[in-house]
Amino acid sequence: MNAHDSEKMMGLLREEGYDPVGDPGEADLIVFNTCSIREKAEQKFYSQLGCTRRLKERNPLLKIAVAGCIAQQEGVRIREKAPHVDYIIGPQNIGRVGEAVARSEGGVLTEDNPGIVSADLPAERRNHVKAWVNIMYGCNNFCSYCVVPYTRGRERSRPVEKVLAEIRGLAGSGYREVTLLGQNVNSYRGEVSFPGLLRLVNDVEGLERIRFVTSHPKDLGEDLVAAMRDLEKVCEHIHLPLQSGSDRILRLMNRGYTYAEYRTKVERLRRAVPGIAITTDIIAGFPGETEADHRATVSALGEIGFDGIFAFKFSPRPMTRASEMEGQLPEGIKSERLSEILRLQDDITEKKNRALEGSVQEVLLEGPSGSDPGTATGRTRTNKIVNIPLSGDIVPGMLLQVKITKGHRHSLEGTVIVTDHR
Ligand code: SAH
Ligand code: SF4
């Protein structure tokens, strides 16, 4: 969500006549698009922001903008730590970045913005094969640990026609894959429900693949399972954050489901969509988490066998209920639990990837690999990264049939057996 907000600000600033520069020392304007989901992201931002003070001393015309969730959370307080900041722009107001930077006296834009759903902002996308598309903004769930409802505001769905027009435009200009974005996509309430929207997007000509993030387990119903089963462009992957395997902790988190309910939904998905990849998010060391609660999470990971996880140490966030709860755990315990979770999952992911050796997968080619110049990279429909030897007759955007020759912990290797020129 944050990265796509940056693409929009890039597009908007381009319209104002700005071009990107390679070195911050050459810039007239530096925009930080910040995240405050965990404290670590905030610390990184403040240390980088500190470095811009010297740049501004050297170039008094330089303007500094802070956008995103820290801007919303802290507002003008950012200037107490960093008086050299000119513009403070919350995530609901990034559409006004052009207007803000046109004012030389600086400004603070952190108002609630219901109009966000009708704005069509010109995103400047870096990737030309796959694109992010917002279908909703904000969140009403108030999970007790999470700052998002405070920084991104109330849940608001984009009208169906706006979403479809953007996706038709993307497909028409050569994009093959879209990822529909929302904090909780299955509570989408445009003129249709989320599964209804998937059906309409599935009909967009030229598009090959549809993905979506993030789904909330409490709102995942039979209709979404059926849409995933029936719609050929919807990829066989779902990111479904579990957070904890302990019902007591899930209740404290205000997640609205039990572990048993979560498992039942996973089973339904696996029955309806053979080969579906399921990934999740886990928080280690939530306040009051006992060793037994932690063991419940470890056992859930073993039982479900996720294709991949993102796991984080609990981080107390301003305004959230969990930051005030009793039983805050020491860093040491959180780190130990996180390491155990990550070690276990590494083994599971590696086994799953090894099991794919010898199979043939459809890979959407994205481009040369960032780390190995002799290699091209793409993803399976199940969202696994596949590296293949680079050759002259394959170009980004192609759908390839690839035989998997090796499964690693974080990627697969393969050789192309069919090149599809569709
Ligand atoms: N709306 C999505 C994404 C939320 S943020 C969802 O509900 O899944 C992505 C992940 O960050 C969350 O799933 C959660 O695992 C993690 N997260 C959020 N707040 C956190 C906190 N205070 N400490 C640690 N992890 C957190
Ligand atoms: Fe945060 Fe929960 Fe909303 Fe996700 S669903 S953004 S974790 S409050």
Side-chain angles (χ1 to χ4, degrees):
M1 188 77 78
N2 174 281
H4 184 44
D5 284 350
S6 294
E7 292 181 334
K8 291 182 194 163
M9 285 192 283
M10 284 282 289
L12 288 158
L13 289 169
R14 187 76 82 171
E15 287 186 345
E16 294 294 315
Y18 286 90
D19 290 313
V21 289
D23 173 0
E26 296 167 22
D28 303 310
L29 169 69
I30 297 176
V31 184
F32 288 91
N33 190 18
T34 61
C35 171
S36 65
I37 195 80
R38 283 170 293 275
E39 199 178 353
K40 209 159 132 198
E42 249 190 270
Q43 286 163 349
K44 268 199 229 163
F45 156 66
Y46 278 114
S47 86
Q48 289 187 21
L49 181 63
C51 300
T52 60
R53 193 178 313 221
R54 230 176 321 123
L55 292 178
K56 204 158 167 172
E57 279 161 15
R58 262 193 276 149
N59 173 11
L61 295 178
L62 173 64
K63 298 286 185 194
I64 308 286
V66 177
C69 286
I70 300 178
Q72 188 67 34
Q73 182 188 300
E74 299 299 319
V76 284
R77 284 202 299 270
I78 289 177
R79 294 214 182 103
E80 289 168 15
K81 288 190 191 158
H84 67 296
V85 169
D86 297 283
Y87 312 107
I88 296 169
I89 309 168
Q92 297 184 56
N93 290 292
I94 57 162
R96 294 164 69 195
V97 64
E99 174 200 328
V101 301
R103 284 195 223 144
S104 56
E105 74 275 19
V108 180
L109 300 176
T110 50
E111 301 88 344
D112 186 45
N113 175 22
I116 193 167
V117 290
S118 47
D120 292 310
L121 305 179
E124 182 165 313
R125 295 178 162 94
R126 295 269 171 92
N127 188 307
H128 298 290
V129 175
K130 54 183 195 178
W132 288 305
V133 174
N134 280 109
I135 63 164
M136 57 194 297
Y137 301 92
C139 183
N140 290 348
N141 285 318
F142 292 92
C143 300
S144 63
Y145 49 82
C146 184
V147 76
V148 170
Y150 304 96
T151 57
R152 289 194 176 265
R154 295 293 54 76
E155 188 177 292
R156 292 173 179 125
S157 297
R158 243 180 126 190
V160 169
E161 264 319 308
K162 295 256 175 206
V163 174
L164 288 179
E166 182 171 359
I167 295 176
R168 287 191 196 108
L170 289 164
S173 55
Y175 284 86
R176 318 301 301 274
E177 176 180 309
V178 290
T179 300
L180 309 179
L181 289 181
Q183 294 301 340
N184 181 6
V185 286
N186 29 45
S187 74
Y188 175 80
R189 294 282 174 279
E191 296 83 336
V192 296
S193 64
F194 181 61
L197 181 69
L198 284 178
R199 287 177 196 279
L200 295 171
V201 177
N202 194 67
D203 290 337
V204 173
E205 238 171 272
L207 200 63
E208 295 287 350
R209 288 180 170 189
I210 303 167
R211 302 186 186 280
F212 51 89
V213 276
T214 298
S215 309
H216 195 304
K218 79 175 162 55
D219 298 319
L220 188 146
E222 286 299 323
D223 50 354
L224 178 57
V225 177
M228 292 190 79
R229 179 195 61 208
D230 297 343
L231 301 174
E232 73 283 1
K233 292 180 188 171
V234 173
C235 288
E236 295 75 28
H237 170 229
I238 191 164
H239 186 67
L240 197 62
L242 170 63
Q243 313 298 3
S244 169
S246 152
D247 288 344
R248 199 177 66 84
I249 296 297
L250 287 172
R251 220 171 22 249
L252 287 172
M253 288 177 165
N254 190 31
R255 289 292 286 177
Y257 54 85
T258 62
Y259 173 60
E261 285 163 352
Y262 183 96
R263 267 215 58 178
T264 304
K265 294 194 179 186
V266 164
E267 280 157 18
R268 280 190 197 137
L269 282 162
R270 284 182 168 158
R271 234 178 292 127
V273 188
I276 189 172
I278 302 179
T279 54
T280 206
D281 293 343
I282 298 288
I283 297 178
F286 188 81
E289 186 186 77
T290 62
E291 185 57 30
D293 294 320
H294 169 61
R295 300 260 55 95
T297 300
V298 168
S299 121
L301 292 176
E303 198 168 45
I304 292 179
F306 290 105
D307 292 79
I309 66 170
F310 295 109
F312 318 95
K313 279 190 275 185
F314 169 74
S315 170
R317 300 287 63 216
M319 300 173 276
T320 62
R321 274 198 289 132
S323 68
E324 317 256 284
M325 283 179 187
E326 281 173 23
Q328 302 284 330
L329 295 177
E331 281 305 300
I333 292 189
K334 292 195 235 180
S335 300
E336 269 170 37
R337 291 182 182 169
L338 177 66
S339 309
E340 184 183 358
I341 286 167
L342 291 173
R343 258 197 324 270
L344 167 63
Q345 184 58 42
D346 270 352
D347 289 344
I348 296 173
T349 309
E350 193 170 345
K351 275 199 199 101
K352 291 211 156 212
N353 285 350
R354 286 245 283 281
L356 293 173
E357 289 175 2
S359 71
V360 174
Q361 304 283 330
E362 182 201 274
V363 173
L364 176 62
L365 193 69
E366 289 173 25
S369 146
S371 48
D372 177 358
T375 304
T377 185
R379 285 184 190 249
T380 63
R381 287 178 61 94
T382 50
N383 210 30
K384 294 178 196 280
I385 296 171
V386 184
N387 292 311
I388 54 178
L390 197 61
S391 75
D393 55 354
I394 55 171
V395 291
M398 274 183 179
L399 282 175
L400 310 169
Q401 295 296 321
V402 173
K403 180 153 191 180
I404 304 303
T405 51
K406 191 110 193 60
H408 301 286
R409 193 163 280 183
H410 299 292
S411 65
L412 305 168
E413 268 174 58
T415 50
V416 178
I417 52 174
V418 181
T419 309
D420 181 348
H421 286 277
R422 261 187 299 172

